């Protein structure tokens, strides 16, 4: 078992990483009112909802399970009214608790609903995808999508706890494992050379799983350090966007359908590092090391696409409105910095 404390004053909480913690979740949950509203999706619930709810019942809590359809389309503003109504019918009060059991979609949507129901009710994240375990469940960003774009309505609302069960990764399809690995590699690139080297030495998914508890806790600690310094994403927290500017433009180019978030971030990290190396901003050889590790984990380093359109997507991104674009670069593996530029930086893509 590993514990990471996120120190945010009265919004502080623990992240507990442990194999099979799901079956003991009730021991880690505190809910004065005694009612727990569990949100999960149609992929995750059949595998894990019973284990969680049995453990909560054993601890004396009354539970209601609410299911959303698996997939990004559920993370939308229309999904939230039926959720509020179900919470009211269950009699959920501000002394009670909401749990998100699932990947990033479930976590973001549930967190947003918890942050607004009765002006805020406590919630706990139990992330089940690698990507959610190392990134989206930590740090309190909660949101829903609008037709115009992803995460356009949201808030910062920290969970009361994050419980990470590494055992649930066993049922994760390979494509989701690969997707999450892009974010794990990102932490090594921007903040932790030792983590990068450890990842480099891992040859397959089975070997990763042997060290999953330590690696996931390491990523959560790195993110906690950043969130403690910059909870509201006005400075250092932007370092977590390494690879995301170009990556997000790629996702948009393919209408968020063909290329998953992690794969797009992998491509984005590679593209920006080749360019920054050429511009003399990054130690020579860093891009080659990055490409090697991305390939080793089944990620791509480039994609065929119309670069003019990708650059136009970047310029129109909600985060980049105006001419200036702040991108994240690495000076070498394990060290990163923010670099103000424009989307023209990407003109000479490999
Ligand atoms: N996913 C990046 C952040 O939480 O800031």
């Amino acid at each position: 078992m590993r514990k990471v404390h996120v120190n945010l004053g009265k919004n502080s909480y623990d992240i507990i990483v442990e194999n099979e913690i799901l079956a003991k979740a009730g021991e880690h949950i505190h809910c004065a009112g005694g009612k727990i509203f569990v949100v999960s999706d149609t992929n995750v619930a059949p595998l894990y909802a019973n284990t969680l709810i049995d453990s909560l019942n054993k601890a004396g809590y009354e539970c209601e399970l609410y299911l959303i359809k698996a997939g990004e389309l559920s993370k939308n503003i229309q999904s939230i009214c039926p959720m509020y109504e179900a919470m009211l019918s269950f009699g959920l009060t501000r002394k009670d608790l909401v749990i998100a059991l699932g990947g990033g979609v479930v976590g973001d949507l549930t967190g947003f609903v918890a942050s607004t129901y009765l002006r805020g009710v406590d919630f706990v994240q139990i992330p089940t995808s690698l990507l959610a375990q190392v990134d989206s469940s930590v740090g309190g960003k909660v949101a829903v999508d609008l037709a115009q774009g992803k995460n356009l309505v949201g808030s910062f609302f920290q969970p009361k706890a994050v419980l990470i069960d590494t055992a649930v990764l066993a049922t994760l399809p390979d494509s989701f494992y690969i997707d999450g690995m892009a974010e794990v590699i990102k932490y090594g690139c921007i903040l932790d050379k030792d983590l990068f080297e450890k990842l480099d030495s891992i040859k397959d998914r089975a070997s990763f799983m042997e060290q999953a508890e330590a690696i996931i806790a390491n990523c959560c600690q790195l993110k906690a350090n950043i969130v403690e310094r910059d909870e509201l994403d006005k400075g250092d927290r932007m370092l977590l966007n390494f690879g995301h500017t170009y990556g997000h433009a790629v996702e948009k180019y393919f209408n968020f359908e063909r290329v998953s978030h992690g794969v797009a971030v992998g491509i984005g990290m590679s593209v920006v590092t080749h360019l920054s190396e050429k511009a003399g901003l990054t130690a020579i050889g860093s891009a080659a090391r990055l490409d090697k590790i991305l390939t080793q984990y089944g990620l791509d380093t480039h994609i065929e696409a119309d670069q003019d359109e990708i650059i136009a997507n970047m310029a129109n991104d909600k985060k980049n409105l105006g001419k200036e674009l702040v991108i994240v670069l690495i000076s070498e593996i394990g060290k990163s910095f923010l670099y103000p530029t424009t989307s023209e930086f990407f003109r000479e893509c490999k």
Side-chain angles (χ1 to χ4, degrees), residues 2 54 56 78-79 101 106 130 140 144 153 163 178 185 236 238 269 272 288 290 330 342-343:
R2 284 159 209 263
D54 285 351
L56 297 173
Q78 278 80 35
S79 301
L101 172 71
V106 171
L130 180 57
V144 292
V153 177
L163 306 183
I178 291 169
I185 292 167
D236 273 5
M238 287 192 266
M269 292 192 290
V272 81
L290 175 56
I330 55 171
T342 68
S343 51

Side-chain angles (χ1 to χ4, degrees), residues 213-229:
E213 211 175 279
I215 293 172
I216 291 167
N218 189 347
C219 294
C220 291
Q221 183 65 66
L222 292 166
K223 181 153 184 185
N225 297 343
I226 291 259
V227 170
E228 285 170 4
R229 291 207 297 271

